[in-house]
């Protein structure tokens, strides 16, 4: 190991450190050149990312499927068991027609809320080194996507557009530790703040200490002024555990997010929302199985019995 | 001399950067995966002298700061990579036992990746970034070290040959 650096090396090291500190200062003071540099690099990279997404995404999905094989199998078994229970219950029910009518009334999420959306493909899954949870989509300012717009899938809230470039946009996911959204409990209308935790589980903190949460409560986005960054009524997740710690000022709860962030491929950016708040209209309906018709056969004696 | 070496390294780093941003980012790997660019930069620094390591860290850090997914201010990665590049090259400079042993290089780079990310996180906290749950941070750091141990042996022959070809220094292992 070397005993020490020479003066030239020290001078170089100090110069480089000072330069980096200078850059940090400039950026924190909001100098536009720095922002322009990042925008420029992203504009140059997004076509390459689009091509790479087309070529390598199937390979990436394969690896993702392989790593989730055990979990998928467990989920299939659980679903099979649930399906059997549902099938049994369904056979015993006499009002299957009424349930069929309900099944037909299930509408698409965006269609129900009358959101004006732009669909986009996910072209990059974000950084692996910066502790952030982001995705890049292939729609940008050219498609009407602007900063602070809500991003959804059919299951619910994905995140919010953090930066918009001409042909791509960076979306901060709901799982990002820096993500915060005003939330509302469907039904009881209690309000709180939901924050990302870096995993598929988020934490909800209620604002009112007089109200209570219970497991299974559905959490929706409360909406922002002029619908930016969040449109109201988008499903976020479901309460899984409630923290009733004595001495806590307000109640907190763990919320399992509806969206599977590991399998995002197409998302929609809400570029226009209706004036009316959809309230609880987007709360996901409980799954209803398809009824299985039963056939009853009556045995009839034949007219000419055989000897 | 430094400027010439710095400039001839630039196209290689640009290529690895594009690979990281467009190809590696397509894979959702267990534990958050790995940063090819970070591993490459630390491995490249480990093969040079401390001054070259610091300069390599500076260039690599600037590129990492330009990434749209960098959560901190411009210069945060630059600062950390200068120190990481300098330190990792300082550790092995003039020590043939270190340079000549691929296993020590693999584990040094893997530890370097985890420590660099940890310092980035700590500095980010000072600058106002969010950390997330402690469990996700610990899992992410361990998995990045694990993936680095897996990736460095694959990258090492290429990096050492490139380094040797460009700088005419016998650093091949």
């Amino acid at each position: 190991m070397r005993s020490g650096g020479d003066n030239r090396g020290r001078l170089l090291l100090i110069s480089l450190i000072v330069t980096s500190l200078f850059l940090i200062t400039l950026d924190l003071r909001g100098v536009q050149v720095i922002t322009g540099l990042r925008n420029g690099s992203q504009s140059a990279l997004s076509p390459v990312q689009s091509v790479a997404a087309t070529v390598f995404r199937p390979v990436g999905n394969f690896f993702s499927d392989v790593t989730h094989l055990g979990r998928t199998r467990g989920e299939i078994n659980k679903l099979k068991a649930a399906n059997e229970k549902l099938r049994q219950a369904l056979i015993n029910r006499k009002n299957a027609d009424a349930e069929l009518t309900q099944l037909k009334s299930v509408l698409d999420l965006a269609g129900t809320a009358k959101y004006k959306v732009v669909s986009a493909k996910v072209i990059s899954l974000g950084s692996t080194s910066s502790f952030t949870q982001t995705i890049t989509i292939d729609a940008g300012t050219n498609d009407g996507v602007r900063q602070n717009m809500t991003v959804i899938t059919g299951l619910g809230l994905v995140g919010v557009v953090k930066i918009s470039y001409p042909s791509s946009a960076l979306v901060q996911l709901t799982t990002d530790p820096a993500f915060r959204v005003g939330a509302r409990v469907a039904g009881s209308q209690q309000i709180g703040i939901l924050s990302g935790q870096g995993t598929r589980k988020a934490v909800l903190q209620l604002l009112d200490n007089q109200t209570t949460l219970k497991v299974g409560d559905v959490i929706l986005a409360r909406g922002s002024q002029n619908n930016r960054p969040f449109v109201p009524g988008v499903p976020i997740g479901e309460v899984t555990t409630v923290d009733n710690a004595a001495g806590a000022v307000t109640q907190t709860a763990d919320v399992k997010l509806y969206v599977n962030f590991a399998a995002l491929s197409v998302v929609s950016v809400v570029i226009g929302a209706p004036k009316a708040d959809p309230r609880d209209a987007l709360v996901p309906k409980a799954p209803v199985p398809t009824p299985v018709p039963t056939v009853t056969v009556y045995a009839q004696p034949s007219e000419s019995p055989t000897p | 001399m430094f400027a010439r070496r710095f400039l001839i390294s630039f196209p290689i780093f640009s290529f690895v950067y594009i690979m990281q941003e467009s190809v590696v980012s397509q894979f959702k790997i267990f534990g958050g995966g790995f940063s090819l660019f970070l591993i490459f930069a630390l491995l490249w620094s480990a093969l040079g002298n401390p001054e070259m390591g610091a300069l390599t860290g500076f260039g690599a850090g600037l590129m990492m700061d330009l990434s749209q997914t960098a959560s901190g201010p411009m210069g945060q990665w630059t600062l950390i990579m200068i120190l990481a590049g300098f330190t990792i090259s300082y550790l092995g400079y003039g020590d043939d036992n270190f340079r000549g042993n691929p296993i020590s290089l693999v584990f040094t780079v893997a530890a370097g990746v985890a420590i660099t990310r940890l310092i980035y996180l700590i500095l980010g906290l000072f600058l106002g970034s969010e950390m997330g749950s402690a469990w996700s941070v610990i899992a992410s750091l361990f998995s990045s070290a694990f993936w680095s141990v897996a990736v460095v042996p694959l990258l090492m022959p290429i990096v050492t040959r490139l380094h040797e070809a460009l700088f005419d220094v016998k650093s091949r292992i």
Side-chain angles (χ1 to χ4, degrees):
Chain A
M1 215 177 280
R2 204 165 80 148
S3 58
D6 54 9
N7 286 336
R8 188 173 162 234
R10 282 188 199 135
L11 186 67
L12 177 73
L13 186 65
I14 291 166
S15 310
L16 293 175
I17 289 172
V18 169
T19 309
S20 64
L21 290 173
F22 182 63
L23 281 172
I24 293 173
T25 312
L26 281 181
D27 196 27
L28 290 178
R29 290 180 71 88
V31 176
Q32 290 299 311
V33 179
I34 304 291
T35 318
L37 277 173
R38 266 188 188 162
N39 288 356
S41 77
Q42 178 51 30
S43 296
L45 265 177
S46 61
V48 186
Q49 284 179 327
S50 292
V51 173
T54 312
V55 176
F56 292 102
R57 182 51 60 81
V59 185
N61 288 344
F62 170 76
F63 282 111
S64 180
D65 288 347
V66 167
T67 51
H68 292 106
L69 201 60
R71 200 184 303 170
T72 310
R73 191 169 293 163
E75 206 163 315
I76 288 170
N77 289 338
K78 210 187 286 179
L79 284 170
K80 272 182 180 171
N83 198 32
E84 277 304 308
K85 272 186 186 173
L86 285 169
R87 198 187 293 266
Q88 193 62 42
L90 193 68
I91 290 166
N92 296 333
R93 287 179 75 164
K94 294 181 179 175
N95 58 347
D97 287 345
E99 288 184 358
L100 269 175
T101 313
Q102 282 180 11
L103 185 67
K104 284 174 187 168
S105 69
V106 177
L107 297 170
D108 178 64
L109 183 82
T112 310
K114 297 188 176 68
Y115 293 145
K116 191 179 173 192
V117 295
V118 167
S119 290
K121 203 166 80 171
V122 178
I123 56 172
S124 171
L125 293 172
S127 171
T128 53
S129 53
S130 299
F131 297 96
T132 54
Q133 308 264 329
T134 54
I135 54 168
T136 308
I137 56 173
D138 68 349
T141 49
N142 294 342
D143 309 285
V145 174
R146 300 280 183 274
Q147 195 179 5
N148 288 334
M149 282 182 166
T150 312
V151 183
I152 58 172
T153 64
L155 293 171
L157 184 70
V158 170
V160 64
V161 176
K162 198 177 169 193
I163 308 167
S164 182
Y165 304 101
S167 56
S168 65
L170 183 73
V171 178
Q172 183 186 31
L173 297 179
T174 318
T175 52
D176 189 278
F179 186 89
R180 301 282 182 278
V181 57
R184 176 168 62 79
V185 181
S188 69
Q189 307 299 319
Q190 303 161 56
I191 57 170
I193 295 168
L194 184 122
S195 45
Q197 296 293 303
T199 60
R200 204 179 159 185
K201 201 192 286 177
V203 170
L204 173 73
Q205 181 162 29
L206 289 182
L207 296 181
D208 185 0
N209 61 0
Q210 299 298 312
T211 53
T212 51
L213 280 169
K214 59 181 186 300
V215 172
D217 276 347
V218 173
I219 309 300
L220 307 171
R222 193 159 56 87
S224 315
Q225 203 170 16
N226 298 325
N227 295 318
R228 303 244 317 245
F230 299 105
V231 290
V234 180
I236 300 174
E238 199 173 275
V239 173
T240 51
T241 52
V242 180
D243 184 11
N244 288 314
V249 179
T250 54
Q251 208 175 19
T252 57
D254 287 338
V255 175
K256 190 187 178 189
L257 304 170
Y258 283 132
V259 175
N260 180 8
F261 295 90
L264 283 177
S265 57
V266 176
V267 295
S268 294
V269 183
V270 181
I271 58 168
K275 284 178 184 168
D277 185 343
R279 311 305 299 173
D280 294 352
L282 303 180
V283 173
K285 305 277 189 298
V288 180
T290 311
V292 178
T294 52
V295 179
T296 310
V297 180
Y298 295 99
Q300 297 239 344
S302 59
E303 287 176 3
S304 54
T306 51
Chain B
M1 184 66 172
F2 272 143
R4 189 183 70 83
R5 288 181 171 185
F6 187 69
L7 286 174
I8 55 177
S9 309
F10 183 72
I12 299 167
F13 274 79
S14 299
F15 174 75
V16 180
Y17 177 76
I18 291 167
M19 290 291 286
Q20 168 67 42
E21 292 291 311
S22 54
V23 178
V24 180
S25 65
Q26 303 298 328
F27 299 94
K28 193 82 182 175
I29 309 170
F30 165 74
F34 57 90
S35 171
L36 183 73
F37 189 75
L38 181 58
I39 294 170
F40 183 85
L42 291 182
L43 196 53
W44 191 271
S45 300
L47 298 173
N49 59 37
E51 290 80 20
M52 201 59 211
L55 210 55
T56 303
F58 177 76
L62 264 181
M63 293 173 100
M64 289 168 85
D65 273 324
L66 281 177
S67 168
Q68 53 158 344
T69 53
S71 56
M74 180 88 182
Q76 188 178 341
W77 267 122
T78 311
L79 177 62
I80 289 159
M81 287 301 289
I82 292 167
L83 298 173
F86 181 83
T87 309
I88 206 161
S89 53
Y90 187 84
L91 280 172
Y93 189 61
D95 185 352
D96 289 338
N97 288 329
F98 177 84
R99 288 274 172 90
N101 186 353
I103 294 171
S104 64
L105 202 55
V106 168
F107 283 101
T108 308
V109 172
V113 167
I115 293 167
T116 305
R117 293 189 63 212
L118 180 65
I119 294 170
Y120 179 85
L121 180 73
I122 294 167
L123 187 61
L125 287 176
F126 284 119
L127 294 172
S129 299
E130 298 286 339
M131 190 182 94
S133 68
W135 167 246
S136 71
V137 169
I138 292 166
S140 174
L141 290 175
F142 270 103
S143 68
S144 66
F146 167 79
W147 281 112
S148 301
V149 169
V151 171
V152 173
L154 302 174
L155 270 183
M156 207 188 305
I158 304 164
V159 176
T160 49
R161 278 175 175 80
L162 269 175
H163 197 272
E164 184 189 323
L166 286 177
F167 298 146
D168 201 25
V169 176
K170 293 287 175 193
S171 55
R172 192 190 296 182
I173 295 164

